[in-house]
Amino acid sequence: MEKTIDESLQGSVLTLEKNKKNNRKLYIESYGCQMNFSDSEIVASILAKEGFNTTHSLDDADLVLVNTCSIREKAELTVRKRLEKFNAVKKNRPHLKVGVLGCMAERLKSQLLEEEKIVDMVVGPDAYKDLPNLVQEIDEGRNAVNVILSKEETYGDIAPVRLNSNGVTAFVSITRGCDNMCTFCVVPFTRGRERSRDPQSIVSEVNDLWNKGFREITLLGQNVDSYLWYGGGLKKDFDKATDMQKATSVTFAQLLELVALAQPKMRIRFSTSNPQDLTLAVIHTMAKHKNICNYIHLPVQSGSNRILKEMNRLHTREEYFELIDNIKKIIPDCAVSQDMITGFPSETEEDHRNTLSLMEYVKYDYGFMFAYSERPGTMAARKLEDDVPEEIKKRRLSEIIALQREHCQERTQRHVGKVQEILIEGSSKKSDAHWMGRNSQNTVAVFPKENYKVGEFVNVKMLNCTSATLIGEAVGYSENN
């Protein structure tokens, strides 16, 4: 729940340009947050060197991989149904091999491989470099498993193949793992402790993306603000680093500046932030560089200090307000979005009202809101009783969503009448005669195509809006073009 999950992307089948020398077919589906979709690009890159081209057709596949998520129960149930489907296909195509990747693989390895016998291969999120060996194992008729969580692996040396990309925007992973141990989240147990990627490898990837025509990148991590490079190793071991390592270490604010300076016309976003780690230095860096977008995804999860403590969130309601005040003071037109969980164990009506009042104070541009769903393996599942009745969870969630919808309308409306820079990402879903792109605040805008092209920066005058979309007309190219 800490991660943003785009429902429209769930189960996407990824394909890339074919290599004529490759003669085997890989079918790969992805579920969960953007970290998983980014990992699928790494997997495709590794297997392309092992003779695999990707395919959209299950009937053509020699190897089926499902990149999985353990954050929400719905994703796990969906994956299980897909695995049953793939097993049915195997009856007619016995050479077909099926593998599970990612968080669910790490958590349910023995269940999937030994007890239920529904997969041939189980690969954890830190073991993708071992895929060539694991594929050889299953080719020779043996089951294969590697779910060892690494202290070092960041995949900084793998150039991801951009899959199903619009050619304009891309994700660049900068950290792996998480140290935060929120009681509702399984990520620290499935992706391991936090480690950061070499900043030079990140800058090199950003430069390469610019040269390939990409115009916007999102720096991606379970908790990007916690980025800390001191020559490699776990973040928690930084206090054991040498004086030289500490003196030459790179924080997230410094990395953000390195990337902004490397490509001054490249739009830069980042996700996900955690309140206790988002520093004033990061906010000042955003304000300093025009190409860093004025948008922060800042999950809060609850407006109640008691519930935040139960969640082990490491920040209070008051500290969150102070952070919001600083953001609004330093970057007045900055957009902020949220993640919110309602119905957490022991949540009372007073706790719920505190969440609604927090939302009224912040007035988020948009949000990702969920009713609490107990995840096996988390501290909450082990130590707290899921005692809020389902009908109360649903009612509280509907109240949170209704209030967020009001705030969405209000926040989107403030752009109307302004001229804003939009990066064209593609055609509007509703009209082939209109382009779609986003402003710096991550709000979607649509406008007539005229002679503009995908990947161009265009100044658009905002004439009207729905609750989440701006409607305008282009008035010319921006200086960024």
Side-chain angles (χ1 to χ4, degrees):
M1 292 179 197
E2 186 68 15
K3 312 302 148 312
T4 301
I5 294 178
D6 186 338
E7 296 296 349
S8 67
L9 295 178
Q10 299 307 296
S12 294
V13 181
L14 304 179
T15 56
L16 58 120
E17 208 172 308
K18 288 180 170 52
N19 181 332
K20 290 177 183 175
K21 294 178 183 175
N22 291 352
N23 55 17
R24 302 179 76 183
K25 299 284 181 66
L26 167 67
Y27 177 95
I28 181 167
E29 285 184 0
S30 302
Y31 296 86
C33 66
Q34 279 299 345
M35 285 296 291
N36 274 17
F37 286 81
S38 179
D39 280 359
S40 290
E41 295 178 349
I42 289 166
V43 168
S45 182
I46 292 168
L47 289 178
K49 292 175 183 172
E50 299 301 314
F52 285 90
N53 282 329
T54 51
T55 177
H56 245 83
S57 171
L58 180 58
D59 293 334
D60 292 341
D62 301 296
L63 174 63
V64 171
L65 296 178
V66 190
N67 199 347
T68 63
C69 172
S70 269
I71 301 267
R72 287 161 65 192
E73 187 176 17
K74 181 183 173 187
E76 279 198 13
L77 292 172
T78 303
V79 167
R80 284 193 169 279
K81 285 181 183 171
R82 293 302 287 158
L83 290 174
E84 288 168 14
K85 158 85 171 168
F86 300 145
N87 264 286
V89 173
K90 277 179 83 170
K91 287 174 184 171
N92 299 320
R93 305 184 69 235
H95 80 284
L96 178 67
K97 303 295 183 184
V98 177
V100 172
L101 311 174
C103 299
M104 187 173 157
E106 202 286 329
R107 196 173 73 74
L108 297 176
K109 48 192 177 288
S110 48
Q111 204 172 325
L112 295 170
L113 202 63
E114 294 156 21
E115 295 167 30
E116 299 177 24
K117 295 184 170 59
I118 54 173
V119 297
D120 305 290
M121 177 167 69
V122 176
V123 190
D126 289 347
Y128 299 142
K129 279 186 185 169
D130 198 27
L131 273 165
N133 298 325
L134 299 172
V135 168
Q136 189 176 341
E137 286 285 304
I138 60 174
D139 281 347
E140 292 169 6
R142 296 183 290 274
N143 286 346
V145 59
N146 185 342
V147 291
I148 296 167
L149 292 175
S150 167
K151 292 182 180 180
E152 291 86 27
E153 189 57 78
T154 63
Y155 299 111
D157 56 338
I158 303 266
V161 177
R162 302 295 157 184
L163 300 162
N164 278 13
S165 168
N166 58 13
V168 178
T169 64
F171 291 93
V172 176
S173 292
I174 66 166
T175 68
R176 293 186 77 81
C178 186
D179 286 348
N180 280 334
M181 308 303 287
C182 300
T183 57
F184 55 78
C185 186
V186 78
V187 165
F189 307 105
T190 58
R191 285 187 173 266
R193 299 307 293 263
E194 187 174 313
R195 61 270 185 208
S196 298
R197 189 177 153 191
D198 179 343
Q200 289 312 314
S201 76
I202 295 167
V203 171
S204 294
E205 185 175 340
V206 170
N207 289 337
D208 182 55
L209 285 165
W210 176 265
N211 293 334
K212 286 176 176 170
F214 288 85
R215 293 296 174 257
E216 178 183 295
I217 54 114
T218 300
L219 301 176
L220 195 65
Q222 313 297 151
N223 179 15
V224 289
D225 308 284
S226 192
Y227 177 93
L228 182 63
W229 172 259
Y230 60 98
L234 297 177
K235 185 182 177 182
K236 72 180 182 67
D237 295 333
F238 181 64
D239 58 347
K240 300 174 193 166
T242 65
D243 290 343
M244 178 59 79
Q245 283 176 316
K246 287 178 179 176
T248 57
S249 63
V250 178
T251 64
F252 180 59
Q254 291 166 324
L255 175 71
L256 205 50
E257 180 148 279
L258 280 173
V259 173
L261 291 171
Q263 291 298 339
K265 291 193 171 186
M266 176 82 90
R267 261 196 188 176
I268 298 156
R269 302 186 189 273
F270 55 90
S271 186
T272 293
S273 295
N274 247 13
Q276 71 266 25
D277 296 305
L278 181 60
T279 63
L280 284 176
V282 170
I283 302 166
H284 281 297
T285 302
M286 290 174 69
K288 182 177 169 186
H289 296 280
K290 281 178 71 176
N291 58 330
I292 303 176
C293 291
N294 291 340
Y295 166 65
I296 301 173
H297 182 57
L298 195 61
V300 63
Q301 309 300 2
S302 173
S304 159
N305 280 337
R306 189 184 69 80
I307 294 295
L308 289 171
K309 192 171 182 182
E310 291 287 327
M311 291 176 166
N312 193 35
R313 283 295 287 167
L314 307 181
H315 66 84
T316 64
R317 172 189 176 93
E318 291 74 24
E319 286 165 341
Y320 191 86
F321 283 162
E322 185 181 351
L323 184 55
I324 291 293
D325 290 345
N326 280 321
I327 291 168
K328 289 181 175 177
K329 187 168 96 181
I330 298 165
I331 314 171
D333 64 343
C334 190
V336 181
S337 59
Q338 47 88 345
D339 285 353
M340 202 74 76
I341 301 168
T342 190
F344 192 77
S346 81
E347 184 186 69
T348 64
E349 282 302 312
E350 184 183 358
D351 296 324
H352 174 57
R353 284 193 297 275
N354 283 334
T355 293
L356 295 174
S357 71
L358 179 139
M359 291 175 69
E360 287 284 15
Y361 184 92
V362 179
K363 292 196 187 312
Y364 294 101
D365 290 70
Y366 52 93
F368 303 89
M369 299 145 285
F370 310 99
Y372 175 72
S373 163
E374 187 175 271
R375 305 309 298 124
T378 61
M379 291 299 289
R382 292 206 288 268
K383 298 195 171 181
L384 301 172
E385 183 189 351
D386 186 4
D387 58 356
V388 179
E390 207 59 38
E391 63 271 18
I392 291 178
K393 285 183 187 177
K394 284 180 181 174
R395 192 255 305 158
R396 289 176 185 168
L397 180 60
S398 67
E399 289 175 10
I400 287 171
I401 290 171
L403 183 58
Q404 183 56 59
R405 196 171 285 129
E406 280 179 37
H407 293 161
C408 276
Q409 180 76 52
E410 187 180 327
R411 297 291 289 168
T412 307
Q413 187 73 43
R414 75 196 163 111
H415 300 294
V416 174
K418 295 179 181 176
V419 174
Q420 296 181 324
E421 182 188 77
I422 301 296
L423 172 59
I424 301 174
E425 295 179 29
S427 294
S428 163
K429 287 179 182 175
K430 292 186 176 176
S431 165
D432 203 42
H434 288 73
W435 287 127
M436 180 281 295
R438 287 172 296 155
N439 63 10
S440 177
Q441 291 79 9
N442 210 37
T443 306
V444 169
V446 296
F447 58 95
K449 285 187 172 179
E450 299 180 47
N451 295 319
Y452 299 105
K453 296 182 180 66
V454 169
E456 291 182 333
F457 289 98
V458 179
N459 286 326
V460 176
K461 180 158 191 189
M462 304 309 171
L463 305 173
N464 205 343
C465 71
T466 65
S467 63
T469 304
L470 291 161
I471 300 155
E473 62 182 18
V475 295
Y477 290 108
S478 83
E479 63 182 28
N480 216 11
N481 214 47

